[in-house]
Amino acid sequence: SLASLGCSLWFVRHYSPSQARHGIGRSVVSGLKWANGKYEGFLQRRFPRFYVVHHTFMRGLQLLFQDGTELRRIVARMLSERIEHQNLPYRDMEKIRQVRRDLIKAFPLVILSVPPFVNDVVFILMYLYPRQLLIRHFWTPQQLVEFQGVYHAQRAKHHWAIVKGLESMSTSVQDSCLKSRLLELCSKVRSGVHPVVSDIHAVRTLFSGPPLGVKRMYADQMRHLCPLLFLTPRLPAFWIGRRLNSHALELMQLDHAIIRLGVHQLNDAELREACYVRGLNPDRLSPGQCQEWLTQWLQFSTHLKESETSLYLHSMVLLTVNYPKPTSLTSEGSR
C-alpha cells in the first residue's frame, strides 16, 4: 500500500548504520548494568561477605581505570605543552607518584596470573593477603586505615635507631659547635620535645657531605631510613643511597608544588595522605593538626637544597615522633 511504501521510504531515508550501532551499544551496556545490579543484589542477600569482596574488587577496577585515564591526560598535556615534571600542578605530580608505586606493587601479581589455571590460586592469595598483594584501590575503607596503621608501625620501629645513629655519627663531626647542636637536637627529641624548624636548620650543613650525606652515611643508617619511604633495605648500600636520594628529591618537588597550590586548598584526605607520606601518622589527628604540621614541614623543607636530602629523610623522624605531644615512643627513646 501507499502507506507502507511511505514508511519504507522514510526508514531508508533516515536509517544510519552508525546510529543503529550506537543504539545497540547503549542497549547492551544498559543490559549489562541491569544484570550486574541484579547479581550484586543477589550476592548481598545470600552471600554478604563475598559481596563485600566483589563490590570492593569492581570498585577497584573502576578506580584503576580512572587513574589510567587521568595519567594519559597528564602525560598528553606534558608532551603537548612541554611541561617538565617538577612544574606540574601538585595533584598531577601526586597522581604520577601514586600510580607508579601501584604499578610496581601490582606487577608481580600480574606476572603470576599469566600461566593458565593459576587465576583461581591468585584470587585466593589476594583474598588471604590483601595488604601484601593488593594495591589501595582494592582495599575497603576499613582496610585502608588498618593497613596504613600497620605500615606506620613498621617504620616507627626504626625511629629510635635513626636517632641513635645520628648520635653515633656525631663523633665524626669536626666542628664542635655543629656537633653540640646535633647532640642537643637528638637529646630534645629523646626527651619528648617537638623541635622547631630553626633547630633543624641549625645543623643542615652537616647533611650535605660525610658523615651524614645521603650517599656518605653508614650502611646501617641507610637501611633504617628505607622503611620511612616503604623501600626494601635488602639491597647493596650504593643502590639504597641512590633510591633514598631520588625518592627524597621527588617529595621535595611535591612540597614546592603544595606551596604553589596552597595548603588550604588540600581537602582532608589529601592533607592526611601528604602527612602520611612524609612520616606522620594522621590517624588520630584532626584536619587542623594535619594542616598545622604540614605547614611547619613546608617551612622546613622548601628551604633545603638538593644536596640536603639526607636532612629531609632524617627529619621524617625528628619532626614527627613527638607531634602533637609526647607518646609512648618518647619513653622508649629516653631509656
Side-chain angles (χ1 to χ4, degrees):
S1 66
L2 290 175
S4 60
L5 179 60
C7 290
S8 300
L9 290 172
W10 182 92
F11 179 77
V12 169
R13 192 179 301 116
H14 292 87
Y15 174 76
S16 167
S18 61
Q19 288 179 356
R21 286 195 298 268
H22 186 64
I24 293 171
R26 279 190 300 181
S27 300
V28 170
V29 170
S30 298
L32 289 174
K33 285 183 177 179
W34 178 84
N36 186 63
K38 287 289 185 181
Y39 178 62
E40 288 199 342
F42 169 74
L43 290 178
Q44 193 170 15
R45 290 191 305 272
R46 300 295 298 272
F47 307 100
R49 292 183 65 183
F50 184 75
Y51 165 76
V52 173
V53 177
H54 176 269
H55 179 73
T56 303
F57 182 75
M58 296 303 294
R59 178 176 169 274
L61 288 177
Q62 212 171 22
L63 292 173
L64 199 59
F65 178 77
Q66 289 174 3
D67 273 0
T69 304
E70 185 71 10
L71 190 61
R72 285 196 299 273
R73 181 194 64 79
I74 295 169
V75 172
R77 185 184 169 211
M78 288 176 68
L79 294 174
S80 64
E81 300 181 19
R82 298 183 179 179
I83 302 174
E84 295 186 3
H85 179 267
Q86 64 267 24
N87 296 324
L88 285 171
Y90 169 71
R91 291 186 175 94
D92 288 353
M93 291 177 67
E94 178 64 11
K95 178 63 66 178
I96 291 173
R97 186 193 70 83
Q98 289 182 349
V99 171
R100 184 169 63 245
R101 290 185 68 90
D102 289 341
L103 290 177
I104 291 171
K105 183 175 181 180
F107 184 73
L109 195 65
V110 172
I111 296 300
L112 283 175
S113 304
V114 171
F117 311 112
V118 180
N119 291 339
D120 292 341
V121 176
V122 170
F123 186 80
I124 293 171
L125 291 174
M126 288 163 55
Y127 180 75
L128 294 176
Y129 305 103
R131 178 172 64 84
Q132 293 86 347
L133 297 178
L134 296 181
I135 58 178
R136 57 196 167 86
H137 298 82
F138 300 98
W139 294 344
T140 64
Q142 295 78 13
Q143 286 176 328
L144 178 62
V145 174
E146 177 190 346
F147 295 162
Q148 283 196 336
V150 171
Y151 285 131
H152 181 75
Q154 290 175 354
R155 64 182 176 183
K157 291 177 183 177
H158 298 265
H159 283 171
W160 297 113
I162 290 170
V163 176
K164 188 179 292 185
L166 284 176
E167 293 172 330
S168 175
M169 288 186 291
S170 69
T171 58
S172 302
V173 176
Q174 302 297 321
D175 189 312
S176 58
C177 182
L178 287 174
K179 178 179 179 179
S180 175
R181 287 175 181 172
L182 179 61
L183 289 173
E184 183 182 351
L185 174 61
C186 293
S187 178
K188 272 187 177 181
V189 173
R190 278 186 174 276
S191 61
V193 177
H194 180 65
V196 294
V197 171
S198 58
D199 293 334
I200 309 291
H201 282 166
V203 296
R204 59 187 292 184
T205 55
L206 290 174
F207 291 82
S208 296
L212 299 176
V214 71
K215 297 179 182 178
R216 305 291 190 90
M217 71 181 82
Y218 301 149
D220 285 347
Q221 189 75 352
M222 288 186 188
R223 291 191 167 91
H224 283 303
L225 289 170
C226 283
L228 301 182
L229 299 170
F230 311 111
L231 301 176
T232 177
R234 299 179 182 87
L235 291 172
F238 75 91
W239 198 347
I240 291 176
R242 289 177 60 182
R243 297 189 78 198
L244 288 173
N245 188 58
S246 65
H247 279 72
L249 286 173
E250 181 180 40
L251 288 177
M252 289 167 73
Q253 291 176 358
L254 281 163
D255 288 349
H256 285 282
I258 294 177
I259 289 291
R260 293 195 299 269
L261 175 67
V263 176
H264 62 283
Q265 294 291 339
L266 301 179
N267 60 40
D268 289 355
E270 290 171 332
L271 267 176
R272 291 181 179 280
E273 180 65 19
C275 291
Y276 184 78
V277 167
R278 289 157 181 79
L280 183 70
N281 185 10
D283 189 24
R284 298 182 180 180
L285 300 180
S286 68
Q289 289 173 316
C290 290
Q291 186 170 355
E292 177 190 57
W293 182 87
L294 186 58
T295 300
Q296 183 195 38
W297 176 267
L298 295 174
Q299 289 171 354
F300 148 73
S301 70
T302 50
H303 291 89
L304 296 184
K305 302 174 183 175
E306 289 189 358
S307 60
E308 295 169 335
T309 50
S310 174
L311 180 59
Y312 189 98
L313 295 169
H314 283 89
S315 295
M316 291 176 69
V317 175
L318 299 173
L319 286 173
T320 63
V321 291
N322 296 321
Y323 185 86
K325 59 183 179 179
T327 64
S328 57
L329 287 171
T330 305
S331 59
E332 181 183 343
S334 59
R335 287 176 188 172

